[in-house]
Amino acid sequence: MNVDLYNFHLPEELIAQTPLPDRSASRLLTLDKRSGRTVHRHFTDIIDELQPGDTLVLNDTRVIPARLFGIKEDTGAKAEVLLLKSLGEDRWDALVKPGKKLKTGAVISFGEELRAVIEEESDMGGRTLRFMYQGIFQEILDRLGTMPLPPYIKEKLDDRERYQTVYARHEGSAAAPTAGLHFTEDLLKQIQDKGVHIAYITLHVGLGTFRPMSVDTVEEHVMHSEYFMLPQETADMLNEARVKGSRIVAVGTTSCRTLETVGGMFGDGPLEACSGWTDIFIYPGYEFKLVNALITNFHLPKSTLVMLVSALAGREHILAAYQEAIQQKYRFFSFGDAMFIY
């Protein structure tokens, strides 16, 4: 299956550069995955789309200020580091710039309180770094780091909390689960008051978010692993939903990938608390095991995320809905509008 089947033209002016003042003021395009029927609504109308008995699954990961700017100690040249995954013992997987000049053994200084040495190299700018510091690493990172906004966002983010969901708890992501950015605490309470069950999983968004597909066919692509956690309370809620035949609604592709990973682990048996690494790649032909509906943003052309939503709703329905969104001047990507696929 050729990657170009998932290409579309997006006018650059539709790429949202800043979040809306009100999180829930975004637009919402609803898509019936069977018929392809679309309706244009506002995000607060998600209350009408959800039904009593639904289980809404949110990813409660928290983005760390993972972008660091420093200098290469031996030359004084500028260096940029994007932390992706903690390996323990002060070692991290990271992306670096400029990759050609930051080789094994190079030392990067981020000021008096933080230094890093490059221990290993991998492809496409990937490095393993070991940090040296005095004090508490997370506190130093909070002071020196900046939020790792995607490269298509050029505007400065004034409030770093706007790149966090209101329910973000577990630190570890290199990017936000952006479908969740639309929810406010008040909206979540209204949803719960309607009789919708709210459950939480954790998936720390990592390397795959920042790397475009570099292959010609879908099947050649290899996803990078990301760490997930499923608590027992959520497992119990999902088990009950399956027994009752009620809908499981994933908020975001990260929640969807976590749920489908867990569904594959336990099959038809009851789910249990678990954690681990997932590199699941969902594209058309995939049979969903847990997820019945999905709240998501609009994704990049030829991306694994466009392929995931196409697996749920069909490529033709997705591309037609995207063209409609472009014609209606929806805002795209991380700070953009939302879609509900049901």
Side-chain angles (χ1 to χ4, degrees), residues 209-313:
T209 297
F210 294 92
R211 286 191 169 165
M213 294 185 74
S214 57
V215 295
D216 294 325
T217 61
V218 174
E219 293 81 1
E220 290 178 88
H221 182 70
V222 178
M223 296 283 284
H224 285 80
S225 295
E226 295 166 312
Y227 186 74
F228 75 90
M229 296 181 288
L230 178 84
Q232 187 60 48
E233 182 182 5
T234 296
D236 293 341
M237 294 171 75
L238 295 170
N239 287 333
E240 184 177 352
R242 293 170 90 184
V243 169
K244 292 183 175 178
S246 54
R247 291 193 306 181
I248 295 172
V249 182
V251 175
T253 55
T254 59
S255 296
C256 178
R257 291 179 64 243
T258 304
L259 289 169
E260 290 304 305
T261 296
V262 172
M265 289 168 59
F266 292 97
D268 294 330
L271 309 178
E272 298 176 7
C274 58
S275 62
W277 297 88
T278 179
D279 61 357
I280 189 171
F281 181 16
I282 297 173
Y283 55 88
Y286 177 85
E287 292 186 14
F288 285 83
K289 300 167 181 64
L290 289 179
V291 174
N292 305 113
L294 175 67
I295 298 169
T296 185
N297 281 16
F298 293 90
H299 304 294
L300 287 162
K302 298 199 290 187
S303 66
T304 60
L305 304 182
V306 164
M307 295 168 193
L308 184 153
V309 295
S310 296
L312 185 62

Side-chain angles (χ1 to χ4, degrees), residues 137-276:
F137 181 77
Q138 194 59 53
E139 291 181 357
I140 296 171
L141 191 61
D142 283 340
R143 287 195 297 273
L144 300 182
T146 61
M147 295 304 274
L149 295 178
Y152 48 76
I153 294 178
K154 312 300 183 187
E155 296 289 328
K156 184 176 181 291
L157 181 64
D158 294 326
D159 178 8
R160 63 164 67 174
E161 283 302 307
R162 288 298 277 109
Y163 196 56
Q164 305 278 15
T165 62
V166 297
Y167 46 81
R169 282 184 289 190
H170 300 290
E171 292 194 330
S173 268
T178 54
L181 296 178
H182 303 284
F183 288 94
T184 62
E185 291 175 357
D186 182 60
L187 183 57
L188 286 169
K189 185 179 184 305
Q190 292 179 53
I191 289 169
Q192 207 160 16
D193 288 345
K194 184 175 179 176
V196 175
H197 307 293
I198 295 181
Y200 295 94
I201 54 88
T202 305
L203 181 130
H204 293 319
V205 189
L207 191 63
T209 297
F210 294 92
R211 286 191 169 165
M213 294 185 74
S214 57
V215 295
D216 294 325
T217 61
V218 174
E219 293 81 1
E220 290 178 88
H221 182 70
V222 178
M223 296 283 284
H224 285 80
S225 295
E226 295 166 312
Y227 186 74
F228 75 90
M229 296 181 288
L230 178 84
Q232 187 60 48
E233 182 182 5
T234 296
D236 293 341
M237 294 171 75
L238 295 170
N239 287 333
E240 184 177 352
R242 293 170 90 184
V243 169
K244 292 183 175 178
S246 54
R247 291 193 306 181
I248 295 172
V249 182
V251 175
T253 55
T254 59
S255 296
C256 178
R257 291 179 64 243
T258 304
L259 289 169
E260 290 304 305
T261 296
V262 172
M265 289 168 59
F266 292 97
D268 294 330
L271 309 178
E272 298 176 7
C274 58
S275 62

